[in-house]
PDB file of all heavy atoms in Angstrom:
ATOM      1  N   GLN V  31      45.881  -9.103 -32.930  1.00 96.00           N
ATOM      2  CA  GLN V  31      45.742 -10.496 -33.498  1.00 96.00           C
ATOM      3  C   GLN V  31      44.313 -10.856 -33.825  1.00 96.00           C
ATOM      4  O   GLN V  31      43.943 -11.557 -34.791  1.00 96.00           O
ATOM      5  CB  GLN V  31      46.432 -11.553 -32.550  1.00 96.00           C
ATOM      6  CG  GLN V  31      47.902 -11.480 -32.386  1.00 96.00           C
ATOM      7  CD  GLN V  31      48.466 -12.468 -31.492  1.00 96.00           C
ATOM      8  OE1 GLN V  31      47.952 -13.618 -31.400  1.00 96.00           O
ATOM      9  NE2 GLN V  31      49.430 -12.049 -30.672  1.00 96.00           N
ATOM     10  N   ARG V  32      43.450 -10.513 -32.929  1.00 94.00           N
ATOM     11  CA  ARG V  32      42.008 -10.828 -33.216  1.00 94.00           C
ATOM     12  C   ARG V  32      41.478 -10.097 -34.367  1.00 94.00           C
ATOM     13  O   ARG V  32      40.749 -10.666 -35.160  1.00 94.00           O
ATOM     14  CB  ARG V  32      41.281 -10.334 -31.991  1.00 94.00           C
ATOM     15  CG  ARG V  32      39.762 -10.888 -31.777  1.00 94.00           C
ATOM     16  CD  ARG V  32      39.090 -10.315 -30.582  1.00 94.00           C
ATOM     17  NE  ARG V  32      38.007 -11.129 -30.214  1.00 94.00           N
ATOM     18  CZ  ARG V  32      36.634 -11.018 -30.752  1.00 94.00           C
ATOM     19  NH1 ARG V  32      36.569 -10.168 -31.730  1.00 94.00           N
ATOM     20  NH2 ARG V  32      35.765 -11.702 -30.377  1.00 94.00           N
ATOM     21  N   ALA V  33      42.017  -8.838 -34.583  1.00 93.00           N
ATOM     22  CA  ALA V  33      41.576  -8.079 -35.791  1.00 93.00           C
ATOM     23  C   ALA V  33      42.142  -8.808 -37.090  1.00 93.00           C
ATOM     24  O   ALA V  33      41.379  -8.820 -38.054  1.00 93.00           O
ATOM     25  CB  ALA V  33      42.196  -6.677 -35.673  1.00 93.00           C
ATOM     26  N   ASP V  34      43.327  -9.440 -37.013  1.00 93.00           N
ATOM     27  CA  ASP V  34      43.808 -10.029 -38.142  1.00 93.00           C
ATOM     28  C   ASP V  34      42.927 -11.258 -38.578  1.00 93.00           C
ATOM     29  O   ASP V  34      42.664 -11.603 -39.613  1.00 93.00           O
ATOM     30  CB  ASP V  34      45.230 -10.616 -37.908  1.00 93.00           C
ATOM     31  CG  ASP V  34      46.207  -9.376 -38.008  1.00 93.00           C
ATOM     32  OD1 ASP V  34      45.891  -8.370 -38.409  1.00 93.00           O
ATOM     33  OD2 ASP V  34      47.315  -9.596 -37.370  1.00 93.00           O
ATOM     34  N   ILE V  35      42.461 -12.020 -37.441  1.00 91.00           N
ATOM     35  CA  ILE V  35      41.577 -13.220 -37.657  1.00 91.00           C
ATOM     36  C   ILE V  35      40.214 -12.699 -38.233  1.00 91.00           C
ATOM     37  O   ILE V  35      39.727 -13.365 -39.148  1.00 91.00           O
ATOM     38  CB  ILE V  35      41.429 -13.909 -36.338  1.00 91.00           C
ATOM     39  CG1 ILE V  35      42.794 -14.512 -35.777  1.00 91.00           C
ATOM     40  CG2 ILE V  35      40.317 -14.957 -36.496  1.00 91.00           C
ATOM     41  CD1 ILE V  35      42.590 -15.150 -34.468  1.00 91.00           C
ATOM     42  N   ILE V  36      39.756 -11.644 -37.810  1.00 88.00           N
ATOM     43  CA  ILE V  36      38.438 -11.111 -38.234  1.00 88.00           C
ATOM     44  C   ILE V  36      38.630 -10.677 -39.777  1.00 88.00           C
ATOM     45  O   ILE V  36      37.786 -10.964 -40.434  1.00 88.00           O
ATOM     46  CB  ILE V  36      37.978  -9.837 -37.496  1.00 88.00           C
ATOM     47  CG1 ILE V  36      37.647 -10.161 -36.106  1.00 88.00           C
ATOM     48  CG2 ILE V  36      36.806  -9.192 -38.203  1.00 88.00           C
ATOM     49  CD1 ILE V  36      36.490 -11.188 -35.827  1.00 88.00           C
ATOM     50  N   ASP V  37      39.721 -10.192 -40.095  1.00 87.00           N
ATOM     51  CA  ASP V  37      40.024  -9.819 -41.537  1.00 87.00           C
ATOM     52  C   ASP V  37      39.903 -11.090 -42.422  1.00 87.00           C
ATOM     53  O   ASP V  37      39.384 -11.085 -43.475  1.00 87.00           O
ATOM     54  CB  ASP V  37      41.370  -9.247 -41.558  1.00 87.00           C
ATOM     55  CG  ASP V  37      41.576  -8.449 -42.929  1.00 87.00           C
ATOM     56  OD1 ASP V  37      40.565  -7.998 -43.563  1.00 87.00           O
ATOM     57  OD2 ASP V  37      42.663  -8.159 -43.408  1.00 87.00           O
ATOM     58  N   ARG V  38      40.496 -12.203 -41.851  1.00 88.00           N
ATOM     59  CA  ARG V  38      40.439 -13.423 -42.584  1.00 88.00           C
ATOM     60  C   ARG V  38      39.120 -14.006 -42.608  1.00 88.00           C
ATOM     61  O   ARG V  38      38.612 -14.580 -43.640  1.00 88.00           O
ATOM     62  CB  ARG V  38      41.407 -14.452 -42.076  1.00 88.00           C
ATOM     63  CG  ARG V  38      42.844 -14.220 -42.345  1.00 88.00           C
ATOM     64  CD  ARG V  38      43.833 -15.207 -41.792  1.00 88.00           C
ATOM     65  NE  ARG V  38      44.027 -15.126 -40.448  1.00 88.00           N
ATOM     66  CZ  ARG V  38      44.338 -16.010 -39.600  1.00 88.00           C
ATOM     67  NH1 ARG V  38      44.147 -17.266 -40.053  1.00 88.00           N
ATOM     68  NH2 ARG V  38      44.531 -15.760 -38.265  1.00 88.00           N
ATOM     69  N   LEU V  39      38.348 -13.750 -41.546  1.00 83.00           N
ATOM     70  CA  LEU V  39      36.929 -14.278 -41.312  1.00 83.00           C
ATOM     71  C   LEU V  39      35.995 -13.601 -42.478  1.00 83.00           C
ATOM     72  O   LEU V  39      35.109 -14.240 -42.972  1.00 83.00           O
ATOM     73  CB  LEU V  39      36.353 -14.079 -39.929  1.00 83.00           C
ATOM     74  CG  LEU V  39      35.001 -14.613 -39.576  1.00 83.00           C
ATOM     75  CD1 LEU V  39      35.133 -16.036 -39.467  1.00 83.00           C
ATOM     76  CD2 LEU V  39      34.565 -13.971 -38.293  1.00 83.00           C
ATOM     77  N   ILE V  40      36.236 -12.410 -42.623  1.00 80.00           N
ATOM     78  CA  ILE V  40      35.428 -11.615 -43.659  1.00 80.00           C
ATOM     79  C   ILE V  40      35.504 -12.338 -44.984  1.00 80.00           C
ATOM     80  O   ILE V  40      34.549 -12.548 -45.689  1.00 80.00           O
ATOM     81  CB  ILE V  40      35.867 -10.156 -43.753  1.00 80.00           C
ATOM     82  CG1 ILE V  40      35.420  -9.449 -42.368  1.00 80.00           C
ATOM     83  CG2 ILE V  40      35.185  -9.504 -44.892  1.00 80.00           C
ATOM     84  CD1 ILE V  40      36.011  -8.074 -42.244  1.00 80.00           C
ATOM     85  N   SER V  41      36.748 -12.577 -45.394  1.00 80.00           N
ATOM     86  CA  SER V  41      36.959 -13.297 -46.667  1.00 80.00           C
ATOM     87  C   SER V  41      36.361 -14.638 -46.766  1.00 80.00           C
ATOM     88  O   SER V  41      35.708 -15.086 -47.699  1.00 80.00           O
ATOM     89  CB  SER V  41      38.397 -13.407 -46.945  1.00 80.00           C
ATOM     90  OG  SER V  41      39.038 -12.133 -46.881  1.00 80.00           O
ATOM     91  N   VAL V  42      36.438 -15.393 -45.650  1.00 79.00           N
ATOM     92  CA  VAL V  42      35.915 -16.833 -45.646  1.00 79.00           C
ATOM     93  C   VAL V  42      34.386 -16.871 -45.638  1.00 79.00           C
ATOM     94  O   VAL V  42      33.731 -17.490 -46.423  1.00 79.00           O
ATOM     95  CB  VAL V  42      36.545 -17.600 -44.379  1.00 79.00           C
ATOM     96  CG1 VAL V  42      35.835 -18.950 -44.282  1.00 79.00           C
ATOM     97  CG2 VAL V  42      38.003 -17.731 -44.604  1.00 79.00           C
ATOM     98  N   LYS V  43      33.792 -16.043 -44.772  1.00 69.00           N
ATOM     99  CA  LYS V  43      32.274 -16.029 -44.512  1.00 69.00           C
ATOM    100  C   LYS V  43      31.582 -15.115 -45.429  1.00 69.00           C
ATOM    101  O   LYS V  43      30.382 -15.254 -45.507  1.00 69.00           O
ATOM    102  CB  LYS V  43      31.968 -15.797 -43.121  1.00 69.00           C
ATOM    103  CG  LYS V  43      32.445 -16.880 -42.134  1.00 69.00           C
ATOM    104  CD  LYS V  43      32.183 -16.485 -40.677  1.00 69.00           C
ATOM    105  CE  LYS V  43      30.708 -16.550 -40.481  1.00 69.00           C
ATOM    106  NZ  LYS V  43      30.302 -16.382 -39.151  1.00 69.00           N
ATOM    107  N   GLN V  44      32.248 -14.151 -46.054  1.00 63.00           N
ATOM    108  CA  GLN V  44      31.657 -13.129 -46.829  1.00 63.00           C
ATOM    109  C   GLN V  44      30.523 -12.415 -46.173  1.00 63.00           C
ATOM    110  O   GLN V  44      29.388 -12.504 -46.523  1.00 63.00           O
ATOM    111  CB  GLN V  44      31.190 -13.727 -48.186  1.00 63.00           C
ATOM    112  CG  GLN V  44      32.357 -14.204 -49.085  1.00 63.00           C
ATOM    113  CD  GLN V  44      31.825 -14.650 -50.466  1.00 63.00           C
ATOM    114  OE1 GLN V  44      30.793 -15.176 -50.627  1.00 63.00           O
ATOM    115  NE2 GLN V  44      32.736 -14.494 -51.424  1.00 63.00           N
ATOM    116  N   THR V  45      30.830 -12.079 -44.925  1.00 50.00           N
ATOM    117  CA  THR V  45      29.733 -11.576 -43.884  1.00 50.00           C
ATOM    118  C   THR V  45      28.925 -10.447 -44.556  1.00 50.00           C
ATOM    119  O   THR V  45      27.725 -10.397 -44.229  1.00 50.00           O
ATOM    120  CB  THR V  45      30.563 -11.021 -42.613  1.00 50.00           C
ATOM    121  OG1 THR V  45      31.420 -12.072 -42.177  1.00 50.00           O
ATOM    122  CG2 THR V  45      29.484 -10.657 -41.566  1.00 50.00           C
ATOM    123  N   GLN V  46      29.503  -9.725 -45.402  1.00 49.00           N
ATOM    124  CA  GLN V  46      28.788  -8.552 -45.961  1.00 49.00           C
ATOM    125  C   GLN V  46      27.591  -8.941 -46.691  1.00 49.00           C
ATOM    126  O   GLN V  46      26.654  -8.148 -46.915  1.00 49.00           O
ATOM    127  CB  GLN V  46      29.699  -7.593 -46.917  1.00 49.00           C
ATOM    128  CG  GLN V  46      30.990  -7.203 -46.282  1.00 49.00           C
ATOM    129  CD  GLN V  46      32.219  -8.159 -46.433  1.00 49.00           C
ATOM    130  OE1 GLN V  46      32.029  -9.371 -46.426  1.00 49.00           O
ATOM    131  NE2 GLN V  46      33.338  -7.524 -46.781  1.00 49.00           N
ATOM    132  N   GLU V  47      27.528 -10.172 -47.135  1.00 50.00           N
ATOM    133  CA  GLU V  47      26.385 -10.658 -48.001  1.00 50.00           C
ATOM    134  C   GLU V  47      25.208 -11.235 -47.257  1.00 50.00           C
ATOM    135  O   GLU V  47      24.315 -11.549 -47.838  1.00 50.00           O
ATOM    136  CB  GLU V  47      26.985 -11.671 -49.002  1.00 50.00           C
ATOM    137  CG  GLU V  47      27.979 -11.076 -49.994  1.00 50.00           C
ATOM    138  CD  GLU V  47      28.461 -12.103 -51.004  1.00 50.00           C
ATOM    139  OE1 GLU V  47      28.113 -13.168 -50.924  1.00 50.00           O
ATOM    140  OE2 GLU V  47      29.376 -11.713 -51.764  1.00 50.00           O
ATOM    141  N   VAL V  48      25.320 -11.366 -45.965  1.00 51.00           N
ATOM    142  CA  VAL V  48      24.270 -12.057 -45.195  1.00 51.00           C
ATOM    143  C   VAL V  48      23.643 -11.215 -44.228  1.00 51.00           C
ATOM    144  O   VAL V  48      22.872 -11.416 -43.328  1.00 51.00           O
ATOM    145  CB  VAL V  48      24.738 -13.242 -44.419  1.00 51.00           C
ATOM    146  CG1 VAL V  48      25.383 -14.281 -45.291  1.00 51.00           C
ATOM    147  CG2 VAL V  48      25.978 -12.792 -43.407  1.00 51.00           C
ATOM    148  N   GLY V  49      23.841  -9.764 -44.379  1.00 54.00           N
ATOM    149  CA  GLY V  49      23.066  -8.858 -43.530  1.00 54.00           C
ATOM    150  C   GLY V  49      23.956  -8.577 -42.276  1.00 54.00           C
ATOM    151  O   GLY V  49      25.140  -8.406 -42.419  1.00 54.00           O
ATOM    152  N   SER V  50      23.285  -8.464 -41.139  1.00 66.00           N
ATOM    153  CA  SER V  50      24.074  -8.116 -39.901  1.00 66.00           C
ATOM    154  C   SER V  50      25.038  -9.206 -39.628  1.00 66.00           C
ATOM    155  O   SER V  50      24.787 -10.465 -39.673  1.00 66.00           O
ATOM    156  CB  SER V  50      23.109  -7.972 -38.844  1.00 66.00           C
ATOM    157  OG  SER V  50      23.740  -7.823 -37.627  1.00 66.00           O
ATOM    158  N   ALA V  51      26.122  -8.776 -39.081  1.00 75.00           N
ATOM    159  CA  ALA V  51      27.187  -9.760 -38.586  1.00 75.00           C
ATOM    160  C   ALA V  51      26.948 -10.100 -37.137  1.00 75.00           C
ATOM    161  O   ALA V  51      27.640 -10.820 -36.552  1.00 75.00           O
ATOM    162  CB  ALA V  51      28.654  -9.198 -38.671  1.00 75.00           C
ATOM    163  N   PHE V  52      25.810  -9.538 -36.651  1.00 84.00           N
ATOM    164  CA  PHE V  52      25.503  -9.872 -35.196  1.00 84.00           C
ATOM    165  C   PHE V  52      25.110 -11.377 -35.064  1.00 84.00           C
ATOM    166  O   PHE V  52      24.362 -11.905 -35.861  1.00 84.00           O
ATOM    167  CB  PHE V  52      24.344  -8.968 -34.752  1.00 84.00           C
ATOM    168  CG  PHE V  52      24.020  -9.022 -33.364  1.00 84.00           C
ATOM    169  CD1 PHE V  52      24.909  -8.451 -32.391  1.00 84.00           C
ATOM    170  CD2 PHE V  52      22.838  -9.474 -32.782  1.00 84.00           C
ATOM    171  CE1 PHE V  52      24.685  -8.368 -31.048  1.00 84.00           C
ATOM    172  CE2 PHE V  52      22.570  -9.411 -31.552  1.00 84.00           C
ATOM    173  CZ  PHE V  52      23.409  -8.897 -30.565  1.00 84.00           C
ATOM    174  N   ARG V  53      25.711 -11.955 -34.009  1.00 87.00           N
ATOM    175  CA  ARG V  53      25.519 -13.462 -33.811  1.00 87.00           C
ATOM    176  C   ARG V  53      24.993 -13.692 -32.371  1.00 87.00           C
ATOM    177  O   ARG V  53      25.765 -13.865 -31.526  1.00 87.00           O
ATOM    178  CB  ARG V  53      26.847 -14.206 -34.079  1.00 87.00           C
ATOM    179  CG  ARG V  53      27.350 -14.245 -35.582  1.00 87.00           C
ATOM    180  CD  ARG V  53      26.354 -14.938 -36.421  1.00 87.00           C
ATOM    181  NE  ARG V  53      26.694 -14.941 -37.772  1.00 87.00           N
ATOM    182  CZ  ARG V  53      26.329 -14.099 -38.673  1.00 87.00           C
ATOM    183  NH1 ARG V  53      25.560 -13.110 -38.355  1.00 87.00           N
ATOM    184  NH2 ARG V  53      26.625 -14.184 -40.003  1.00 87.00           N
ATOM    185  N   PRO V  54      23.701 -13.512 -32.253  1.00 89.00           N
ATOM    186  CA  PRO V  54      23.189 -13.530 -30.848  1.00 89.00           C
ATOM    187  C   PRO V  54      23.481 -14.838 -30.039  1.00 89.00           C
ATOM    188  O   PRO V  54      23.708 -14.916 -28.883  1.00 89.00           O
ATOM    189  CB  PRO V  54      21.741 -13.273 -31.063  1.00 89.00           C
ATOM    190  CG  PRO V  54      21.421 -13.662 -32.430  1.00 89.00           C
ATOM    191  CD  PRO V  54      22.697 -13.215 -33.154  1.00 89.00           C
ATOM    192  N   ALA V  55      23.491 -16.049 -30.707  1.00 89.00           N
ATOM    193  CA  ALA V  55      23.701 -17.244 -30.072  1.00 89.00           C
ATOM    194  C   ALA V  55      25.052 -17.312 -29.513  1.00 89.00           C
ATOM    195  O   ALA V  55      25.394 -17.663 -28.388  1.00 89.00           O
ATOM    196  CB  ALA V  55      23.385 -18.412 -31.039  1.00 89.00           C
ATOM    197  N   ARG V  56      26.015 -16.913 -30.357  1.00 89.00           N
ATOM    198  CA  ARG V  56      27.434 -16.943 -30.017  1.00 89.00           C
ATOM    199  C   ARG V  56      27.661 -15.906 -28.930  1.00 89.00           C
ATOM    200  O   ARG V  56      28.448 -16.280 -27.990  1.00 89.00           O
ATOM    201  CB  ARG V  56      28.333 -16.672 -31.236  1.00 89.00           C
ATOM    202  CG  ARG V  56      29.844 -16.661 -30.978  1.00 89.00           C
ATOM    203  CD  ARG V  56      30.619 -16.680 -32.234  1.00 89.00           C
ATOM    204  NE  ARG V  56      31.948 -16.239 -31.986  1.00 89.00           N
ATOM    205  CZ  ARG V  56      32.918 -17.102 -31.378  1.00 89.00           C
ATOM    206  NH1 ARG V  56      32.534 -18.263 -30.913  1.00 89.00           N
ATOM    207  NH2 ARG V  56      34.093 -16.629 -31.218  1.00 89.00           N
ATOM    208  N   GLU V  57      27.048 -14.746 -29.052  1.00 91.00           N
ATOM    209  CA  GLU V  57      27.347 -13.747 -28.073  1.00 91.00           C
ATOM    210  C   GLU V  57      26.813 -14.128 -26.693  1.00 91.00           C
ATOM    211  O   GLU V  57      27.468 -13.832 -25.654  1.00 91.00           O
ATOM    212  CB  GLU V  57      26.856 -12.402 -28.512  1.00 91.00           C
ATOM    213  CG  GLU V  57      27.643 -11.862 -29.735  1.00 91.00           C
ATOM    214  CD  GLU V  57      27.294 -10.429 -29.938  1.00 91.00           C
ATOM    215  OE1 GLU V  57      26.887  -9.705 -28.988  1.00 91.00           O
ATOM    216  OE2 GLU V  57      27.505  -9.950 -31.135  1.00 91.00           O
TER     217      GLU V  57
END
Side-chain angles (χ1 to χ4, degrees):
Q31 290 178 38
R32 196 182 197 280
D34 290 339
I35 295 172
I36 293 296
D37 196 23
R38 286 183 278 148
L39 186 70
I40 292 172
S41 299
V42 172
K43 296 180 65 176
Q44 295 183 328
T45 309
Q46 305 94 319
E47 298 181 1
V48 298
S50 174
F52 193 63
R53 293 294 179 266
R56 176 166 168 76
E57 292 195 21

